[in-house]
Amino acid sequence: MTTAITPTGILLGQFTPGTPEWEKARGGLCITATEIAAVLGLSPWQSRFSLWHKKAGLPSPPFETNPAMEWGVRLEPAVAAKYADNHPDLTLHETGTWRHAQREWQRATPDRIADDRLVELKTSPTGDEWGPDGDPDGVPIHYRCQTLQQMDVLGYRRTDIAVLIGGCDYREYTVWFDETDAQVMRDAAERFLDDVRHGNRPDIDDSDATYQTIRRQPAGREDVDVQIPIDLADRYEATGANLRAAEAARRQAASEVLDLIGSGYRAVCGDRRIAYRTVNPDGTTHALQPYRSTAA
């Protein structure tokens, strides 16, 4: 266990994700390092809308683990051991959840503290979102936001990120503290929390997190008709028709790709990986999975 005080941080405790203690340390009118990207509209997992509802104490989707999260936790010690092997001059300490000494709303839970720096330990199945090993611009933007807030809370100026990709591709990146970016994040977080206090709900966006949050708001069902604007009615019906057409076109394209793959594994076009085939125990196709595009 590391010290309970860093240059600007105060340790709240060590909590297991998903427990009531963990929820309490992250709940209420505070912003954690994993939430700051949502405040900025940069999170792949949360939206401003979904986070606003959570902070306002309104019904929100519960915290749920998934296989990627489970294996991230299971592999964290292995990634930490590899980082330690690469940096024998450093001593890694497990840590917990912190708040800033003056800004009580600002929270962070770094994976490790190592002498003069913080250390984040990540896993990724494909690494599509990560740049080459050591590339200062190779860190996904939402993780950069996370590390900047962690440094801002604890008072550190450097974070090393160790990433294990696909179970065998180990990479390291360094993120340095940037006061200008940190101030932008602080200002955005304080405006966001002020909107929560005053009931200023963010606009509805196209994210799944927003849709899942809205689904949880009404309780029960009354047998009444609710008038909606004509432009929204037209847009909803048009997108439904377009979606059905797109799904039909995708099914046809998938059938043609699978037909050409045959008993093969991957579909490629030149140097581009397009999709790969998963199979059932009897060898028949289970699904055609697209590779995530990295094109701008």
Side-chain angles (χ1 to χ4, degrees):
M1 186 63 189
T2 189
T3 178
I5 300 177
T6 63
T8 58
I10 296 175
L11 183 65
L12 299 178
Q14 287 183 301
F15 312 108
T16 301
T19 62
E21 295 80 10
W22 181 80
E23 292 285 1
K24 182 178 179 180
R26 300 165 58 86
L29 291 179
C30 71
I31 299 295
T32 71
T34 54
E35 293 170 338
I36 188 63
V39 170
L40 300 169
L42 299 172
S43 172
W45 304 292
Q46 291 180 297
S47 65
R48 285 177 54 83
F49 189 94
S50 66
L51 183 62
W52 186 93
H53 278 71
K54 176 183 176 182
K55 296 302 176 181
L58 298 172
S60 300
F63 174 79
E64 295 179 349
T65 60
N66 56 44
M69 294 174 63
E70 176 190 350
W71 283 102
V73 172
R74 289 180 180 273
L75 292 171
E76 182 177 299
V79 181
K82 176 62 176 176
Y83 179 86
D85 289 345
N86 284 6
H87 301 272
D89 55 317
L90 298 177
T91 302
L92 271 66
H93 301 276
E94 293 190 10
T95 182
T97 298
W98 301 74
R99 72 166 175 84
H100 191 274
Q102 281 77 47
R103 298 185 291 273
E104 293 193 12
W105 62 265
Q106 200 177 31
R107 308 288 168 88
T109 308
D111 290 328
R112 300 288 190 276
I113 294 178
D115 301 340
D116 65 339
R117 70 198 67 175
L118 303 180
V119 179
E120 277 299 295
L121 309 168
K122 305 293 185 186
T123 58
S124 172
T126 64
D128 288 348
E129 71 273 35
W130 295 89
D133 181 40
D135 182 357
D137 297 320
V139 177
I141 184 63
H142 52 281
Y143 286 140
R144 185 173 187 276
C145 293
Q146 177 186 355
T147 58
L148 283 174
Q149 174 147 324
Q150 288 173 344
M151 288 186 280
D152 202 22
V153 170
L154 277 74
Y156 284 77
R157 292 298 178 263
R158 171 176 176 168
T159 297
D160 287 351
I161 304 178
V163 187
L164 181 63
I165 296 170
C168 61
D169 181 2
Y170 176 83
R171 305 179 193 177
E172 287 186 13
Y173 308 84
T174 295
V175 177
W176 295 95
F177 184 74
D178 186 297
E179 175 60 34
T180 300
D181 288 347
Q183 187 62 58
V184 169
M185 290 164 51
R186 287 181 218 130
D187 292 344
E190 289 173 344
R191 287 194 302 270
F192 181 86
L193 291 175
D194 195 52
D195 282 340
V196 173
R197 294 185 189 96
H198 291 89
N200 299 325
R201 193 180 77 164
D203 293 337
I204 293 174
D205 56 66
D206 62 0
S207 71
D208 184 65
T210 292
Y211 179 67
Q212 297 304 328
T213 298
I214 291 174
R215 287 181 61 217
R216 293 181 174 272
Q217 299 315 304
R221 183 176 68 181
E222 299 179 45
D223 188 11
V224 297
D225 294 335
V226 178
Q227 289 289 333
I228 64 174
I230 187 171
D231 61 327
L232 177 57
D234 291 344
R235 182 156 52 91
Y236 177 78
E237 292 178 334
T239 54
N242 293 338
L243 178 61
R244 289 190 292 274
E247 288 174 341
R250 184 175 180 80
R251 278 195 303 273
Q252 180 177 347
S255 295
E256 293 180 26
V257 171
L258 280 173
D259 184 54
L260 289 174
I261 289 180
S263 61
Y265 182 14
R266 288 173 290 272
V268 300
C269 182
D271 293 333
R272 284 192 297 145
R273 298 184 303 174
I274 305 302
Y276 62 95
R277 175 175 169 264
T278 60
V279 297
N280 297 310
D282 63 0
T284 58
T285 297
H286 172 69
L288 181 68
Q289 303 287 352
Y291 284 102
R292 207 174 347 176
S293 173
T294 57

